Amino acid sequence: ARIAGRVAVARATPRDLVALGRSLAQLEKLLDTIGATPAFADAAARLAASREALSPLASDILARCVDSPPAHLREGGLFRPGFDAALDEAKELQTNSTQFLARYQEDLARELSIPGLKVGYNKVFGYYIELTAAQARANPAALTRVQTLKNAERYTTPALRELESKITGAQARAIERERELFDELCSRALSALPAITAFASVVAELDAVAALADRAVRRSWVRPELSEEPVLEIHAGRHPVLEELLGTEFVPNDAALGEREPRLALITGPNMAGKSTYIRQTALIVLLAQIGSFVPASEAKIGL
């Protein structure tokens, strides 16, 4: 839900996007887990309704983005190679510019039948083709002179200028392309925001129910009896929080209020006697019963 909020205001980061993809990818597992349980029929139906919008989005995010995304896109590094040709070309030019120039030099030397042709670089002219004075006498028409040296001539071609532009701008183009691809995925997530919000709501409910079930199993909580009568009967009740801290050292307590018992109990005693713990314990047991949870007691009857 927090990531959905950041997507809605265009503040999502690469890590947010990947975390969203990982979360949404759990939809099918959740459906498999709860689908056969009648008590979760409503939750399963709501998950199934979101499947068409969310499963393709999750698959694309995880297929395209790396497992350990960067915190921001200032230097790129979010997307895997192999799915976007423009991004792959820019990254390859970044890392393999020497190989590209060597390949161009070989191709040009073969095309012009000049075996000793060399491609070099300086800050003034950029990339250039260098011919010896002897080679330059038969200057091919395809070459444009840019500099004359004592024993050599330097040239360029439209193809070399284009390659130079690609190499020098490769990093900027790669980052720009990553931003475009990132914005595209964020736009898809924005379009799926209602489904994402619905998914988050179901997951939150399942998480709460699973936490209560886990605690009930671990601490031997019992299913309370709910009654329309104004009654409160708790046997061997325990404070659910302090029980976690004290374990078996916590001393269980009974509580009895209702038609056969006083409707009001006044708790007295010295400081540090446990009055607040006892009152809060009773209140928490009632609250847990009201929300549909098992309760920390050996037996409990709770009036609605």
Side-chain angles (χ1 to χ4, degrees):
R2 288 193 296 272
I3 293 174
R6 287 195 283 272
V7 168
V9 295
R11 295 294 299 274
T13 67
R15 290 178 181 174
D16 288 332
L17 186 68
V18 173
L20 179 66
R22 287 176 181 155
S23 294
L24 299 181
Q26 305 305 311
L27 190 150
E28 296 297 335
K29 292 181 182 178
L30 280 173
L31 272 176
D32 291 342
T33 301
I34 68 173
T37 306
F40 292 126
D42 177 65
R46 289 154 64 195
L47 285 176
S50 302
R51 174 193 277 155
E52 185 176 348
L54 301 184
S55 291
L57 175 61
S59 297
D60 284 349
I61 290 174
L62 297 184
R64 297 182 181 189
C65 299
V66 297
D67 295 331
S68 300
H72 49 72
L73 275 181
R74 287 195 290 270
E75 296 179 2
L78 173 60
F79 292 96
R80 302 180 192 272
F83 84 92
D84 185 79
L87 179 59
D88 288 346
E89 181 188 15
K91 286 188 173 181
E92 189 178 2
L93 280 167
Q94 278 183 266
T95 56
N96 299 319
S97 57
T98 303
Q99 290 90 322
F100 273 97
L101 288 169
R103 193 183 313 152
Y104 175 77
Q105 179 176 300
E106 290 174 8
D107 292 345
L108 189 62
R110 185 169 51 253
E111 177 187 334
L112 301 178
S113 301
I114 305 176
L117 176 149
K118 294 181 181 179
V119 174
Y121 174 83
N122 66 34
K123 293 182 179 180
V124 177
F125 294 102
Y127 289 101
Y128 57 81
I129 301 160
E130 185 171 291
L131 303 181
T132 65
Q135 292 169 333
R137 293 190 188 98
N139 177 17
L143 303 181
T144 302
R145 181 183 286 110
V146 294
Q147 187 181 21
T148 299
L149 303 178
K150 182 178 180 181
N151 297 314
E153 298 285 349
R154 290 177 175 175
Y155 301 87
T156 187
T157 65
L160 183 59
R161 288 298 186 202
E162 182 181 355
L163 184 58
E164 177 182 357
S165 175
K166 285 183 177 181
I167 291 173
T168 55
Q171 183 177 11
R173 285 200 312 280
I175 294 173
E176 181 183 358
R177 183 56 182 160
E178 288 212 35
R179 168 58 66 180
E180 291 172 355
L181 295 170
F182 176 73
D183 289 344
E184 177 191 332
L185 286 176
C186 286
S187 178
R188 288 178 56 187
L190 184 62
S191 300
L193 216 54
I196 293 173
T197 303
F199 172 80
S201 178
V202 174
V203 170
E205 292 172 19
L206 292 174
D207 182 54
V209 171
L212 293 172
D214 175 75
R215 192 57 53 222
V217 171
R218 288 175 180 269
R219 291 297 183 187
S220 300
W221 292 7
V222 299
R223 180 176 180 174
E225 177 189 347
L226 299 182
S227 172
E228 295 288 349
E229 301 173 6
V231 61
L232 177 62
E233 297 176 3
I234 300 171
H235 298 285
R238 287 109 59 197
H239 192 296
V241 179
L242 288 181
E243 185 180 38
E244 291 297 312
L245 300 175
L246 300 177
T248 57
E249 294 181 12
F250 186 88
V251 179
N253 299 284
D254 294 345
L257 295 172
E259 293 180 336
R260 295 186 300 278
E261 304 287 345
R263 296 290 299 274
L264 176 67
L266 180 64
I267 311 299
T268 65
N271 290 341
M272 305 299 291
K275 302 184 299 297
S276 297
T277 295
Y278 179 70
I279 294 170
R280 290 192 180 108
Q281 165 193 313
T282 305
L284 284 170
I285 289 174
V286 171
L287 177 60
L288 286 167
Q290 292 277 4
I291 67 171
S293 173
F294 280 31
V295 298
S298 64
E299 186 179 346
K301 184 176 182 179
I302 312 291
L304 292 171

